[in-house]
Every structure is written in C-alpha cells, then in structure tokens.
Amino acid sequence: MWFIGSNPLLGHDSPVDTIRSDRFEEAEAAATSMAEDGFLG
C-alpha cells in the first residue's frame, strides 16, 4: 500500500507517481525514511 498511496514526504504524491516523474532521489529518501522511522501518515 505504501508504494501507491499518498505520502506526506513526497508532497502527498505516491512513490510510484514520484518515480514516474523522474524524482527517484525523493522516492528513495521517502523509502529510507519509512524503513528507518516508520510511516508518518
């Protein structure tokens, strides 16, 4: 669900949409944050 859901760390875009928009570094940072700290929203 995390991959397709709205994410506050990505301006409420989903990680999949972020990757489609060539914003790989942002998606990676959000994934790292989730893995290390848990989901914020």
Side-chain angles (χ1 to χ4, degrees):
M1 190 65 155
W2 178 86
F3 194 67
I4 60 172
S6 175
N7 187 304
L9 298 173
L10 299 171
H12 296 283
D13 292 335
S14 71
V16 71
D17 288 337
T18 303
I19 292 170
R20 284 184 188 149
S21 299
D22 294 326
R23 295 165 43 209
F24 303 107
E25 291 83 10
E26 290 178 62
E28 180 183 19
T32 299
S33 178
M34 185 206 156
E36 291 177 354
D37 303 325
F39 187 62
L40 301 175

PDB file of all heavy atoms in Angstrom:
ATOM      1  N   MET A   1       0.821  -1.195   0.000  1.00  0.00           N
ATOM      2  CA  MET A   1       0.000   0.000   0.000  1.00  0.00           C
ATOM      3  C   MET A   1       0.869   1.265   0.000  1.00  0.00           C
ATOM      4  O   MET A   1       0.505   2.253  -0.591  1.00  0.00           O
ATOM      5  CB  MET A   1      -0.934  -0.047   1.209  1.00  0.00           C
ATOM      6  CG  MET A   1      -1.969   1.008   1.169  1.00  0.00           C
ATOM      7  SD  MET A   1      -3.055   0.739  -0.234  1.00  0.00           S
ATOM      8  CE  MET A   1      -4.474   1.542   0.311  1.00  0.00           C
ATOM      9  N   TRP A   2       2.011   1.203   0.671  1.00  0.00           N
ATOM     10  CA  TRP A   2       2.870   2.381   0.747  1.00  0.00           C
ATOM     11  C   TRP A   2       3.260   2.886  -0.629  1.00  0.00           C
ATOM     12  O   TRP A   2       3.299   4.087  -0.865  1.00  0.00           O
ATOM     13  CB  TRP A   2       4.136   2.057   1.561  1.00  0.00           C
ATOM     14  CG  TRP A   2       5.085   3.203   1.629  1.00  0.00           C
ATOM     15  CD1 TRP A   2       5.044   4.217   2.539  1.00  0.00           C
ATOM     16  CD2 TRP A   2       6.181   3.497   0.768  1.00  0.00           C
ATOM     17  NE1 TRP A   2       6.054   5.114   2.300  1.00  0.00           N
ATOM     18  CE2 TRP A   2       6.771   4.685   1.194  1.00  0.00           C
ATOM     19  CE3 TRP A   2       6.716   2.863  -0.342  1.00  0.00           C
ATOM     20  CZ2 TRP A   2       7.863   5.257   0.578  1.00  0.00           C
ATOM     21  CZ3 TRP A   2       7.816   3.435  -0.963  1.00  0.00           C
ATOM     22  CH2 TRP A   2       8.373   4.620  -0.499  1.00  0.00           C
ATOM     23  N   PHE A   3       3.523   1.963  -1.556  1.00  0.00           N
ATOM     24  CA  PHE A   3       4.044   2.335  -2.868  1.00  0.00           C
ATOM     25  C   PHE A   3       3.041   3.097  -3.722  1.00  0.00           C
ATOM     26  O   PHE A   3       3.434   3.920  -4.547  1.00  0.00           O
ATOM     27  CB  PHE A   3       4.513   1.066  -3.587  1.00  0.00           C
ATOM     28  CG  PHE A   3       5.361   1.331  -4.785  1.00  0.00           C
ATOM     29  CD1 PHE A   3       6.616   1.883  -4.651  1.00  0.00           C
ATOM     30  CD2 PHE A   3       4.902   1.027  -6.052  1.00  0.00           C
ATOM     31  CE1 PHE A   3       7.418   2.132  -5.760  1.00  0.00           C
ATOM     32  CE2 PHE A   3       5.690   1.264  -7.162  1.00  0.00           C
ATOM     33  CZ  PHE A   3       6.953   1.816  -7.015  1.00  0.00           C
ATOM     34  N   ILE A   4       1.752   2.848  -3.525  1.00  0.00           N
ATOM     35  CA  ILE A   4       0.739   3.507  -4.360  1.00  0.00           C
ATOM     36  C   ILE A   4      -0.070   4.562  -3.617  1.00  0.00           C
ATOM     37  O   ILE A   4      -0.840   5.294  -4.235  1.00  0.00           O
ATOM     38  CB  ILE A   4      -0.215   2.472  -5.006  1.00  0.00           C
ATOM     39  CG1 ILE A   4      -0.949   1.669  -3.939  1.00  0.00           C
ATOM     40  CG2 ILE A   4       0.534   1.567  -5.961  1.00  0.00           C
ATOM     41  CD1 ILE A   4      -2.045   0.775  -4.481  1.00  0.00           C
ATOM     42  N   GLY A   5       0.101   4.651  -2.310  1.00  0.00           N
ATOM     43  CA  GLY A   5      -0.670   5.606  -1.515  1.00  0.00           C
ATOM     44  C   GLY A   5      -0.006   6.979  -1.417  1.00  0.00           C
ATOM     45  O   GLY A   5       1.180   7.146  -1.669  1.00  0.00           O
ATOM     46  N   SER A   6      -0.782   7.949  -1.043  1.00  0.00           N
ATOM     47  CA  SER A   6      -0.287   9.310  -0.828  1.00  0.00           C
ATOM     48  C   SER A   6       0.767   9.314   0.278  1.00  0.00           C
ATOM     49  O   SER A   6       0.632   8.626   1.280  1.00  0.00           O
ATOM     50  CB  SER A   6      -1.461  10.205  -0.429  1.00  0.00           C
ATOM     51  OG  SER A   6      -1.033  11.486  -0.095  1.00  0.00           O
ATOM     52  N   ASN A   7       1.827  10.090   0.064  1.00  0.00           N
ATOM     53  CA  ASN A   7       2.923  10.119   1.030  1.00  0.00           C
ATOM     54  C   ASN A   7       3.253  11.573   1.371  1.00  0.00           C
ATOM     55  O   ASN A   7       3.596  12.353   0.483  1.00  0.00           O
ATOM     56  CB  ASN A   7       4.151   9.424   0.449  1.00  0.00           C
ATOM     57  CG  ASN A   7       5.259   9.274   1.441  1.00  0.00           C
ATOM     58  OD1 ASN A   7       5.715  10.244   2.020  1.00  0.00           O
ATOM     59  ND2 ASN A   7       5.713   8.054   1.636  1.00  0.00           N
ATOM     60  N   PRO A   8       3.171  11.963   2.645  1.00  0.00           N
ATOM     61  CA  PRO A   8       3.450  13.346   3.021  1.00  0.00           C
ATOM     62  C   PRO A   8       4.896  13.766   2.757  1.00  0.00           C
ATOM     63  O   PRO A   8       5.168  14.953   2.564  1.00  0.00           O
ATOM     64  CB  PRO A   8       3.123  13.395   4.518  1.00  0.00           C
ATOM     65  CG  PRO A   8       3.164  11.985   4.974  1.00  0.00           C
ATOM     66  CD  PRO A   8       2.789  11.140   3.798  1.00  0.00           C
ATOM     67  N   LEU A   9       5.816  12.824   2.720  1.00  0.00           N
ATOM     68  CA  LEU A   9       7.212  13.153   2.436  1.00  0.00           C
ATOM     69  C   LEU A   9       7.445  13.475   0.960  1.00  0.00           C
ATOM     70  O   LEU A   9       8.491  13.987   0.590  1.00  0.00           O
ATOM     71  CB  LEU A   9       8.126  11.996   2.854  1.00  0.00           C
ATOM     72  CG  LEU A   9       8.125  11.656   4.337  1.00  0.00           C
ATOM     73  CD1 LEU A   9       8.941  10.402   4.588  1.00  0.00           C
ATOM     74  CD2 LEU A   9       8.645  12.823   5.152  1.00  0.00           C
ATOM     75  N   LEU A  10       6.457  13.163   0.132  1.00  0.00           N
ATOM     76  CA  LEU A  10       6.564  13.387  -1.309  1.00  0.00           C
ATOM     77  C   LEU A  10       5.537  14.417  -1.787  1.00  0.00           C
ATOM     78  O   LEU A  10       5.088  14.364  -2.921  1.00  0.00           O
ATOM     79  CB  LEU A  10       6.369  12.056  -2.058  1.00  0.00           C
ATOM     80  CG  LEU A  10       7.397  10.976  -1.733  1.00  0.00           C
ATOM     81  CD1 LEU A  10       6.982   9.652  -2.357  1.00  0.00           C
ATOM     82  CD2 LEU A  10       8.786  11.390  -2.185  1.00  0.00           C
ATOM     83  N   GLY A  11       5.187  15.334  -0.921  1.00  0.00           N
ATOM     84  CA  GLY A  11       4.176  16.338  -1.286  1.00  0.00           C
ATOM     85  C   GLY A  11       2.819  15.709  -1.540  1.00  0.00           C
ATOM     86  O   GLY A  11       2.045  16.185  -2.353  1.00  0.00           O
ATOM     87  N   HIS A  12       2.532  14.603  -0.854  1.00  0.00           N
ATOM     88  CA  HIS A  12       1.295  13.835  -0.951  1.00  0.00           C
ATOM     89  C   HIS A  12       1.123  13.138  -2.295  1.00  0.00           C
ATOM     90  O   HIS A  12       0.030  12.687  -2.628  1.00  0.00           O
ATOM     91  CB  HIS A  12       0.074  14.679  -0.578  1.00  0.00           C
ATOM     92  CG  HIS A  12       0.126  15.118   0.853  1.00  0.00           C
ATOM     93  ND1 HIS A  12      -0.173  14.268   1.894  1.00  0.00           N
ATOM     94  CD2 HIS A  12       0.524  16.276   1.417  1.00  0.00           C
ATOM     95  CE1 HIS A  12       0.015  14.907   3.038  1.00  0.00           C
ATOM     96  NE2 HIS A  12       0.437  16.128   2.772  1.00  0.00           N
ATOM     97  N   ASP A  13       2.208  13.026  -3.079  1.00  0.00           N
ATOM     98  CA  ASP A  13       2.208  12.168  -4.258  1.00  0.00           C
ATOM     99  C   ASP A  13       2.519  10.755  -3.798  1.00  0.00           C
ATOM    100  O   ASP A  13       3.081  10.550  -2.722  1.00  0.00           O
ATOM    101  CB  ASP A  13       3.289  12.604  -5.259  1.00  0.00           C
ATOM    102  CG  ASP A  13       2.994  13.952  -5.891  1.00  0.00           C
ATOM    103  OD1 ASP A  13       1.818  14.338  -5.948  1.00  0.00           O
ATOM    104  OD2 ASP A  13       3.961  14.608  -6.327  1.00  0.00           O
ATOM    105  N   SER A  14       2.181   9.775  -4.610  1.00  0.00           N
ATOM    106  CA  SER A  14       2.549   8.401  -4.278  1.00  0.00           C
ATOM    107  C   SER A  14       3.978   8.138  -4.737  1.00  0.00           C
ATOM    108  O   SER A  14       4.474   8.796  -5.663  1.00  0.00           O
ATOM    109  CB  SER A  14       1.596   7.416  -4.962  1.00  0.00           C
ATOM    110  OG  SER A  14       1.829   7.403  -6.357  1.00  0.00           O
ATOM    111  N   PRO A  15       4.657   7.194  -4.107  1.00  0.00           N
ATOM    112  CA  PRO A  15       6.002   6.863  -4.562  1.00  0.00           C
ATOM    113  C   PRO A  15       6.046   6.445  -6.032  1.00  0.00           C
ATOM    114  O   PRO A  15       6.962   6.826  -6.758  1.00  0.00           O
ATOM    115  CB  PRO A  15       6.420   5.715  -3.637  1.00  0.00           C
ATOM    116  CG  PRO A  15       5.680   6.012  -2.370  1.00  0.00           C
ATOM    117  CD  PRO A  15       4.345   6.514  -2.841  1.00  0.00           C
ATOM    118  N   VAL A  16       5.058   5.684  -6.480  1.00  0.00           N
ATOM    119  CA  VAL A  16       5.059   5.259  -7.879  1.00  0.00           C
ATOM    120  C   VAL A  16       4.926   6.462  -8.822  1.00  0.00           C
ATOM    121  O   VAL A  16       5.602   6.534  -9.851  1.00  0.00           O
ATOM    122  CB  VAL A  16       3.992   4.171  -8.152  1.00  0.00           C
ATOM    123  CG1 VAL A  16       2.589   4.717  -8.113  1.00  0.00           C
ATOM    124  CG2 VAL A  16       4.260   3.478  -9.476  1.00  0.00           C
ATOM    125  N   ASP A  17       4.098   7.420  -8.474  1.00  0.00           N
ATOM    126  CA  ASP A  17       3.974   8.631  -9.302  1.00  0.00           C
ATOM    127  C   ASP A  17       5.244   9.467  -9.256  1.00  0.00           C
ATOM    128  O   ASP A  17       5.637  10.078 -10.249  1.00  0.00           O
ATOM    129  CB  ASP A  17       2.775   9.475  -8.864  1.00  0.00           C
ATOM    130  CG  ASP A  17       1.449   8.835  -9.246  1.00  0.00           C
ATOM    131  OD1 ASP A  17       1.424   8.017 -10.192  1.00  0.00           O
ATOM    132  OD2 ASP A  17       0.445   9.155  -8.596  1.00  0.00           O
ATOM    133  N   THR A  18       5.898   9.479  -8.107  1.00  0.00           N
ATOM    134  CA  THR A  18       7.155  10.211  -7.968  1.00  0.00           C
ATOM    135  C   THR A  18       8.222   9.612  -8.879  1.00  0.00           C
ATOM    136  O   THR A  18       8.939  10.335  -9.575  1.00  0.00           O
ATOM    137  CB  THR A  18       7.614  10.188  -6.500  1.00  0.00           C
ATOM    138  OG1 THR A  18       6.572  10.737  -5.690  1.00  0.00           O
ATOM    139  CG2 THR A  18       8.864  11.003  -6.296  1.00  0.00           C
ATOM    140  N   ILE A  19       8.302   8.290  -8.902  1.00  0.00           N
ATOM    141  CA  ILE A  19       9.265   7.623  -9.782  1.00  0.00           C
ATOM    142  C   ILE A  19       8.917   7.875 -11.240  1.00  0.00           C
ATOM    143  O   ILE A  19       9.805   8.150 -12.058  1.00  0.00           O
ATOM    144  CB  ILE A  19       9.322   6.120  -9.456  1.00  0.00           C
ATOM    145  CG1 ILE A  19       9.949   5.930  -8.067  1.00  0.00           C
ATOM    146  CG2 ILE A  19      10.103   5.354 -10.523  1.00  0.00           C
ATOM    147  CD1 ILE A  19       9.833   4.522  -7.527  1.00  0.00           C
ATOM    148  N   ARG A  20       7.647   7.818 -11.593  1.00  0.00           N
ATOM    149  CA  ARG A  20       7.224   8.095 -12.972  1.00  0.00           C
ATOM    150  C   ARG A  20       7.601   9.511 -13.402  1.00  0.00           C
ATOM    151  O   ARG A  20       7.793   9.775 -14.587  1.00  0.00           O
ATOM    152  CB  ARG A  20       5.712   7.924 -13.106  1.00  0.00           C
ATOM    153  CG  ARG A  20       5.255   6.515 -13.148  1.00  0.00           C
ATOM    154  CD  ARG A  20       3.763   6.461 -13.373  1.00  0.00           C
ATOM    155  NE  ARG A  20       3.268   5.114 -13.233  1.00  0.00           N
ATOM    156  CZ  ARG A  20       2.068   4.797 -12.798  1.00  0.00           C
ATOM    157  NH1 ARG A  20       1.205   5.739 -12.463  1.00  0.00           N
ATOM    158  NH2 ARG A  20       1.705   3.545 -12.702  1.00  0.00           N
ATOM    159  N   SER A  21       7.703  10.417 -12.443  1.00  0.00           N
ATOM    160  CA  SER A  21       8.056  11.812 -12.728  1.00  0.00           C
ATOM    161  C   SER A  21       9.560  12.050 -12.657  1.00  0.00           C
ATOM    162  O   SER A  21       9.999  13.199 -12.591  1.00  0.00           O
ATOM    163  CB  SER A  21       7.351  12.742 -11.732  1.00  0.00           C
ATOM    164  OG  SER A  21       5.958  12.623 -11.833  1.00  0.00           O
ATOM    165  N   ASP A  22      10.338  10.964 -12.663  1.00  0.00           N
ATOM    166  CA  ASP A  22      11.803  11.047 -12.620  1.00  0.00           C
ATOM    167  C   ASP A  22      12.327  11.720 -11.359  1.00  0.00           C
ATOM    168  O   ASP A  22      13.359  12.383 -11.378  1.00  0.00           O
ATOM    169  CB  ASP A  22      12.360  11.749 -13.860  1.00  0.00           C
ATOM    170  CG  ASP A  22      12.122  10.958 -15.130  1.00  0.00           C
ATOM    171  OD1 ASP A  22      12.154   9.714 -15.073  1.00  0.00           O
ATOM    172  OD2 ASP A  22      11.897  11.577 -16.178  1.00  0.00           O
ATOM    173  N   ARG A  23      11.629  11.535 -10.247  1.00  0.00           N
ATOM    174  CA  ARG A  23      12.058  12.073  -8.956  1.00  0.00           C
ATOM    175  C   ARG A  23      12.546  10.924  -8.081  1.00  0.00           C
ATOM    176  O   ARG A  23      12.100  10.705  -6.969  1.00  0.00           O
ATOM    177  CB  ARG A  23      10.893  12.821  -8.313  1.00  0.00           C
ATOM    178  CG  ARG A  23      10.483  14.046  -9.097  1.00  0.00           C
ATOM    179  CD  ARG A  23       9.131  14.635  -8.720  1.00  0.00           C
ATOM    180  NE  ARG A  23       8.863  14.706  -7.315  1.00  0.00           N
ATOM    181  CZ  ARG A  23       7.630  14.635  -6.799  1.00  0.00           C
ATOM    182  NH1 ARG A  23       6.579  14.512  -7.578  1.00  0.00           N
ATOM    183  NH2 ARG A  23       7.448  14.707  -5.506  1.00  0.00           N
ATOM    184  N   PHE A  24      13.515  10.162  -8.640  1.00  0.00           N
ATOM    185  CA  PHE A  24      13.999   8.952  -7.993  1.00  0.00           C
ATOM    186  C   PHE A  24      14.594   9.216  -6.616  1.00  0.00           C
ATOM    187  O   PHE A  24      14.381   8.441  -5.687  1.00  0.00           O
ATOM    188  CB  PHE A  24      15.048   8.256  -8.867  1.00  0.00           C
ATOM    189  CG  PHE A  24      14.553   7.906 -10.238  1.00  0.00           C
ATOM    190  CD1 PHE A  24      14.986   8.609 -11.343  1.00  0.00           C
ATOM    191  CD2 PHE A  24      13.639   6.875 -10.422  1.00  0.00           C
ATOM    192  CE1 PHE A  24      14.536   8.294 -12.610  1.00  0.00           C
ATOM    193  CE2 PHE A  24      13.179   6.549 -11.690  1.00  0.00           C
ATOM    194  CZ  PHE A  24      13.632   7.263 -12.786  1.00  0.00           C
ATOM    195  N   GLU A  25      15.373  10.280  -6.496  1.00  0.00           N
ATOM    196  CA  GLU A  25      16.038  10.561  -5.219  1.00  0.00           C
ATOM    197  C   GLU A  25      15.023  10.826  -4.116  1.00  0.00           C
ATOM    198  O   GLU A  25      15.214  10.415  -2.972  1.00  0.00           O
ATOM    199  CB  GLU A  25      17.007  11.736  -5.348  1.00  0.00           C
ATOM    200  CG  GLU A  25      18.227  11.442  -6.198  1.00  0.00           C
ATOM    201  CD  GLU A  25      17.973  11.610  -7.695  1.00  0.00           C
ATOM    202  OE1 GLU A  25      16.902  12.131  -8.080  1.00  0.00           O
ATOM    203  OE2 GLU A  25      18.851  11.215  -8.477  1.00  0.00           O
ATOM    204  N   GLU A  26      13.938  11.528  -4.445  1.00  0.00           N
ATOM    205  CA  GLU A  26      12.894  11.789  -3.445  1.00  0.00           C
ATOM    206  C   GLU A  26      12.219  10.493  -3.015  1.00  0.00           C
ATOM    207  O   GLU A  26      11.950  10.297  -1.820  1.00  0.00           O
ATOM    208  CB  GLU A  26      11.851  12.748  -4.012  1.00  0.00           C
ATOM    209  CG  GLU A  26      12.336  14.165  -4.195  1.00  0.00           C
ATOM    210  CD  GLU A  26      11.251  15.026  -4.805  1.00  0.00           C
ATOM    211  OE1 GLU A  26      10.187  15.177  -4.162  1.00  0.00           O
ATOM    212  OE2 GLU A  26      11.455  15.527  -5.916  1.00  0.00           O
ATOM    213  N   ALA A  27      11.936   9.624  -3.982  1.00  0.00           N
ATOM    214  CA  ALA A  27      11.304   8.345  -3.667  1.00  0.00           C
ATOM    215  C   ALA A  27      12.229   7.486  -2.804  1.00  0.00           C
ATOM    216  O   ALA A  27      11.780   6.845  -1.844  1.00  0.00           O
ATOM    217  CB  ALA A  27      10.926   7.601  -4.943  1.00  0.00           C
ATOM    218  N   GLU A  28      13.510   7.495  -3.130  1.00  0.00           N
ATOM    219  CA  GLU A  28      14.475   6.736  -2.341  1.00  0.00           C
ATOM    220  C   GLU A  28      14.552   7.267  -0.909  1.00  0.00           C
ATOM    221  O   GLU A  28      14.577   6.489   0.054  1.00  0.00           O
ATOM    222  CB  GLU A  28      15.855   6.787  -2.979  1.00  0.00           C
ATOM    223  CG  GLU A  28      16.901   6.028  -2.201  1.00  0.00           C
ATOM    224  CD  GLU A  28      18.283   6.143  -2.789  1.00  0.00           C
ATOM    225  OE1 GLU A  28      18.536   7.072  -3.590  1.00  0.00           O
ATOM    226  OE2 GLU A  28      19.124   5.314  -2.433  1.00  0.00           O
ATOM    227  N   ALA A  29      14.585   8.581  -0.761  1.00  0.00           N
ATOM    228  CA  ALA A  29      14.646   9.175   0.582  1.00  0.00           C
ATOM    229  C   ALA A  29      13.394   8.836   1.388  1.00  0.00           C
ATOM    230  O   ALA A  29      13.478   8.544   2.587  1.00  0.00           O
ATOM    231  CB  ALA A  29      14.827  10.686   0.479  1.00  0.00           C
ATOM    232  N   ALA A  30      12.234   8.856   0.755  1.00  0.00           N
ATOM    233  CA  ALA A  30      10.996   8.515   1.455  1.00  0.00           C
ATOM    234  C   ALA A  30      10.987   7.043   1.861  1.00  0.00           C
ATOM    235  O   ALA A  30      10.559   6.704   2.965  1.00  0.00           O
ATOM    236  CB  ALA A  30       9.791   8.842   0.579  1.00  0.00           C
ATOM    237  N   ALA A  31      11.474   6.169   0.981  1.00  0.00           N
ATOM    238  CA  ALA A  31      11.538   4.741   1.302  1.00  0.00           C
ATOM    239  C   ALA A  31      12.506   4.495   2.457  1.00  0.00           C
ATOM    240  O   ALA A  31      12.211   3.707   3.364  1.00  0.00           O
ATOM    241  CB  ALA A  31      11.963   3.950   0.071  1.00  0.00           C
ATOM    242  N   THR A  32      13.631   5.173   2.432  1.00  0.00           N
ATOM    243  CA  THR A  32      14.608   5.038   3.512  1.00  0.00           C
ATOM    244  C   THR A  32      14.021   5.521   4.823  1.00  0.00           C
ATOM    245  O   THR A  32      14.160   4.875   5.861  1.00  0.00           O
ATOM    246  CB  THR A  32      15.890   5.819   3.172  1.00  0.00           C
ATOM    247  OG1 THR A  32      16.447   5.279   1.971  1.00  0.00           O
ATOM    248  CG2 THR A  32      16.909   5.725   4.293  1.00  0.00           C
ATOM    249  N   SER A  33      13.338   6.654   4.781  1.00  0.00           N
ATOM    250  CA  SER A  33      12.714   7.192   5.984  1.00  0.00           C
ATOM    251  C   SER A  33      11.683   6.218   6.551  1.00  0.00           C
ATOM    252  O   SER A  33      11.621   5.999   7.759  1.00  0.00           O
ATOM    253  CB  SER A  33      12.062   8.540   5.682  1.00  0.00           C
ATOM    254  OG  SER A  33      11.427   9.048   6.822  1.00  0.00           O
ATOM    255  N   MET A  34      10.884   5.622   5.677  1.00  0.00           N
ATOM    256  CA  MET A  34       9.886   4.676   6.132  1.00  0.00           C
ATOM    257  C   MET A  34      10.545   3.450   6.752  1.00  0.00           C
ATOM    258  O   MET A  34      10.120   2.976   7.812  1.00  0.00           O
ATOM    259  CB  MET A  34       8.997   4.242   4.981  1.00  0.00           C
ATOM    260  CG  MET A  34       7.878   3.350   5.429  1.00  0.00           C
ATOM    261  SD  MET A  34       7.348   2.303   4.088  1.00  0.00           S
ATOM    262  CE  MET A  34       6.646   0.981   5.010  1.00  0.00           C
ATOM    263  N   ALA A  35      11.592   2.961   6.125  1.00  0.00           N
ATOM    264  CA  ALA A  35      12.284   1.770   6.634  1.00  0.00           C
ATOM    265  C   ALA A  35      12.944   2.036   7.986  1.00  0.00           C
ATOM    266  O   ALA A  35      12.951   1.173   8.858  1.00  0.00           O
ATOM    267  CB  ALA A  35      13.307   1.286   5.624  1.00  0.00           C
ATOM    268  N   GLU A  36      13.486   3.222   8.144  1.00  0.00           N
ATOM    269  CA  GLU A  36      14.211   3.549   9.374  1.00  0.00           C
ATOM    270  C   GLU A  36      13.307   4.071  10.490  1.00  0.00           C
ATOM    271  O   GLU A  36      13.536   3.805  11.662  1.00  0.00           O
ATOM    272  CB  GLU A  36      15.290   4.581   9.072  1.00  0.00           C
ATOM    273  CG  GLU A  36      16.407   4.026   8.224  1.00  0.00           C
ATOM    274  CD  GLU A  36      17.450   5.071   7.845  1.00  0.00           C
ATOM    275  OE1 GLU A  36      17.252   6.262   8.155  1.00  0.00           O
ATOM    276  OE2 GLU A  36      18.448   4.694   7.219  1.00  0.00           O
ATOM    277  N   ASP A  37      12.286   4.851  10.131  1.00  0.00           N
ATOM    278  CA  ASP A  37      11.471   5.532  11.137  1.00  0.00           C
ATOM    279  C   ASP A  37      10.016   5.104  11.168  1.00  0.00           C
ATOM    280  O   ASP A  37       9.276   5.496  12.062  1.00  0.00           O
ATOM    281  CB  ASP A  37      11.510   7.049  10.892  1.00  0.00           C
ATOM    282  CG  ASP A  37      12.917   7.602  10.904  1.00  0.00           C
ATOM    283  OD1 ASP A  37      13.745   7.105  11.684  1.00  0.00           O
ATOM    284  OD2 ASP A  37      13.184   8.518  10.118  1.00  0.00           O
ATOM    285  N   GLY A  38       9.553   4.404  10.176  1.00  0.00           N
ATOM    286  CA  GLY A  38       8.147   4.030  10.082  1.00  0.00           C
ATOM    287  C   GLY A  38       7.368   5.058   9.288  1.00  0.00           C
ATOM    288  O   GLY A  38       7.834   6.158   8.998  1.00  0.00           O
ATOM    289  N   PHE A  39       6.157   4.696   8.929  1.00  0.00           N
ATOM    290  CA  PHE A  39       5.321   5.571   8.108  1.00  0.00           C
ATOM    291  C   PHE A  39       4.748   6.705   8.941  1.00  0.00           C
ATOM    292  O   PHE A  39       4.293   6.473  10.059  1.00  0.00           O
ATOM    293  CB  PHE A  39       4.209   4.773   7.470  1.00  0.00           C
ATOM    294  CG  PHE A  39       3.392   5.558   6.486  1.00  0.00           C
ATOM    295  CD1 PHE A  39       3.974   6.095   5.357  1.00  0.00           C
ATOM    296  CD2 PHE A  39       2.050   5.767   6.695  1.00  0.00           C
ATOM    297  CE1 PHE A  39       3.230   6.822   4.450  1.00  0.00           C
ATOM    298  CE2 PHE A  39       1.305   6.483   5.787  1.00  0.00           C
ATOM    299  CZ  PHE A  39       1.892   7.010   4.657  1.00  0.00           C
ATOM    300  N   LEU A  40       4.788   7.907   8.405  1.00  0.00           N
ATOM    301  CA  LEU A  40       4.332   9.100   9.145  1.00  0.00           C
ATOM    302  C   LEU A  40       2.846   9.379   9.007  1.00  0.00           C
ATOM    303  O   LEU A  40       2.299  10.158   9.761  1.00  0.00           O
ATOM    304  CB  LEU A  40       5.114  10.326   8.666  1.00  0.00           C
ATOM    305  CG  LEU A  40       6.638  10.248   8.825  1.00  0.00           C
ATOM    306  CD1 LEU A  40       7.286  11.470   8.189  1.00  0.00           C
ATOM    307  CD2 LEU A  40       6.998  10.123  10.281  1.00  0.00           C
ATOM    308  N   GLY A  41       2.195   8.846   8.013  1.00  0.00           N
ATOM    309  CA  GLY A  41       0.815   9.220   7.792  1.00  0.00           C
ATOM    310  C   GLY A  41      -0.046   8.087   7.611  1.00  0.00           C
ATOM    311  O   GLY A  41      -1.084   7.818   7.484  1.00  0.00           O
TER     312      GLY A  41
END
